[in-house]
Amino acid sequence: MEKGLVIKSTGSWYSVKLNNGKIVPCRIKGKFRLKGIETTNPVTVGDFVSIEIQEDKQGMIVDIDTRKNYIIRKSVNLSKKAHIIASNIDLAFLVVTVNYPKTYLNFIDRFLVTAEAYHIPTTLVFNKIDLLKEKELEELDFLIETYSKIGYSCIKTSVEKNINIEEVKREMKGKTSVFSGNSGVGKSSLINLIDNSLGIKTSDISDSHNQGKHTTTFAEMHELKFGGHIIDTPGIKGIGIIDIEQEVIHHYFPEMRNLMNDCKFNNCVHVKEPKCAIKKAVEEDEIAEFRYQNYLNLYYGDENPGFRESLYAPK
Ligand code: GDP
Ligand code: ZN
């Protein structure tokens, strides 16, 4: 029996990379199930598996290691079944631009909430800093200060002027990462500059053309020259935006999660309750006003339905 990593899947065949770098085409033996949900694909890109090599040099996947996380999407056609897009993701990079094009803060916070729900750490990459004027640079500093304080790693980059690209590489090294962000922010250019041998076409998450179309596409893992992997999700809009129950949204705002035990009521959702530690922190500028507003937007469901992907959080 050998251990390996699933780097590609076509539905019935899986490419498994062994520790010695050899890639073995594999099939599945037996049934694998996730607790609580039915899935259309038992094994996904990112899975660590045990395989038995057969006489014909092909492999049989006989076991899957417990996944540390996974991203899934509901299947439209087969009700209740879910498609696991990828697993064991160490890091998500959200590429944003203060301007050219403007990335809305609501969009950033929705993404971060989703990543929190999936237990995927996120690094914010603020790209195109070469284009920013004085006012925009001030906004950039404010955002970096705000998000760093919450605990998110922030990198300001210019792909055009090759600024801080090494820092992005340093974070990627040895890890499995995914890249997301609106169209036009520079994802493809950035990935190309990081490793020009990958030939990855990134997909945009704000683009709502493919809503509900659900063509069968599979994620693929690419090895980075300098160590680590990047997961490409063609036809799937990054890690997407998920439906989260109203009462637990605040768990996915780390700065609220840290303070919520100080609220008077232990079921406080920080909206209308008295003696709320979160509202106090907002008043005292400890929690950024815009983050709280984005929390309220999510809480009240006042949102752009075009943003919704049919994804949901694993329990
Ligand atoms: P994607 O849609 O996120 O993959 O974005 P692209 O990589 O296609 O980039 C969109 C446009 O922005 C292209 O014309 C890039 O050359 C340009 N671009 C990317 N990064 C930068 C940057 O840091 N500065 C400037 N000035 N332009 C950039
Ligand atoms: Zn509260």
Side-chain angles (χ1 to χ4, degrees):
M1 197 126 78
E2 298 211 46
K3 283 268 181 190
L5 170 66
V6 178
I7 58 168
K8 195 177 172 179
S9 136
T10 60
S12 48
W13 283 96
Y14 301 88
S15 301
V16 175
K17 196 173 85 177
L18 306 180
N19 289 336
N20 62 13
K22 233 177 95 177
I23 294 166
V24 182
C26 294
R27 286 181 177 277
I28 305 175
K29 188 178 182 178
K31 282 190 176 175
F32 303 105
R33 289 246 162 124
L34 280 179
K35 270 195 212 105
I37 53 164
E38 271 194 87
T39 58
T40 53
N41 56 332
V43 173
T44 191
V45 166
D47 280 345
F48 292 101
V49 294
S50 304
I51 65 166
E52 278 167 5
I53 310 268
Q54 320 261 290
E55 281 157 19
D56 56 4
K57 301 268 166 59
Q58 291 174 351
M60 199 60 99
I61 297 173
V62 293
D63 203 11
I64 310 173
D65 290 5
T66 306
R67 298 175 175 116
K68 84 167 176 184
N69 59 34
Y70 52 84
I71 54 181
I72 49 182
R73 103 178 147 176
K74 279 181 198 163
S75 169
V76 173
N77 309 326
L78 307 154
S79 60
K80 278 197 202 159
K81 285 205 176 180
H83 179 79
I84 317 173
I85 298 167
S87 70
N88 299 320
I89 298 157
D90 296 316
L91 188 56
F93 286 93
L94 182 64
V95 184
V96 302
T97 41
V98 167
N99 214 341
Y100 321 109
K102 186 177 176 62
T103 301
Y104 289 95
L105 299 180
N106 197 35
F107 173 81
I108 297 178
D109 288 340
R110 280 164 175 283
F111 182 93
L112 294 176
V113 163
T114 305
E116 292 286 337
Y118 277 135
H119 307 289
I120 301 171
T122 304
T123 289
L124 292 168
V125 176
F126 294 86
N127 191 35
K128 303 202 189 184
I129 57 165
D130 60 292
L131 295 179
L132 301 183
K133 302 182 189 77
E134 200 183 322
K135 271 263 181 281
E136 293 157 344
L137 285 168
E138 278 171 25
E139 191 183 340
L140 174 72
D141 286 342
F142 166 70
L143 291 179
I144 289 182
E145 195 191 311
T146 305
Y147 285 110
S148 307
K149 191 174 150 201
I150 297 167
Y152 293 108
S153 169
C154 297
I155 306 175
K156 39 182 170 180
T157 60
S158 165
V159 174
E160 180 77 16
K161 298 262 190 288
N162 205 337
I163 301 170
N164 287 338
I165 307 303
E166 282 307 312
E167 230 179 290
V168 178
K169 281 168 107 166
R170 199 159 38 228
E171 288 212 9
M172 293 175 80
K173 203 176 155 124
K175 293 188 182 144
T176 294
S177 34
V178 291
F179 276 77
S180 293
N182 280 331
S183 176
V185 296
K187 296 180 298 295
S188 320
S189 323
L190 176 63
I191 291 169
N192 222 355
L193 189 60
I194 285 166
D195 187 335
N196 60 14
S197 67
L198 298 172
I200 288 179
K201 291 199 200 78
T202 56
S203 40
D204 305 311
I205 42 178
S206 68
D207 166 60
S208 58
H209 284 326
N210 287 325
Q211 282 284 322
K213 257 202 221 159
H214 289 223
T215 43
T216 316
T217 41
F218 291 91
E220 190 170 342
M221 206 179 242
H222 301 268
E223 191 160 358
L224 296 159
K225 278 193 235 166
F226 53 89
H229 292 91
I230 179 164
I231 294 182
D232 187 19
T233 55
I236 301 159
K237 291 169 248 152
I239 76 169
I241 308 292
I242 55 178
D243 295 336
I244 296 167
E245 282 163 41
Q246 203 180 28
E247 303 74 42
V248 298
I249 296 169
H250 61 149
H251 295 173
Y252 305 126
F253 281 77
E255 73 272 48
M256 295 191 183
R257 190 167 62 212
N258 289 340
L259 278 180
M260 64 195 190
N261 289 335
D262 298 343
C263 296
K264 181 173 162 67
F265 298 101
N266 62 12
N267 59 351
C268 187
V269 289
H270 332 300
V271 178
K272 291 189 176 133
E273 300 88 343
K275 305 227 163 122
C276 166
I278 305 301
K279 282 192 284 178
K280 183 161 167 276
V282 175
E283 271 158 35
E284 291 171 355
D285 241 5
E286 275 300 304
I287 287 180
E289 171 84 34
F290 81 85
R291 288 274 294 170
Y292 181 65
Q293 278 306 327
N294 287 339
Y295 167 72
L296 293 180
N297 288 343
L298 281 168
Y299 184 85
Y300 286 114
D302 165 25
E303 62 189 82
N304 172 359
F307 265 132
R308 284 244 160 149
E309 276 257 68
S310 48
L311 284 157
Y312 56 95
K315 290 253 170 354

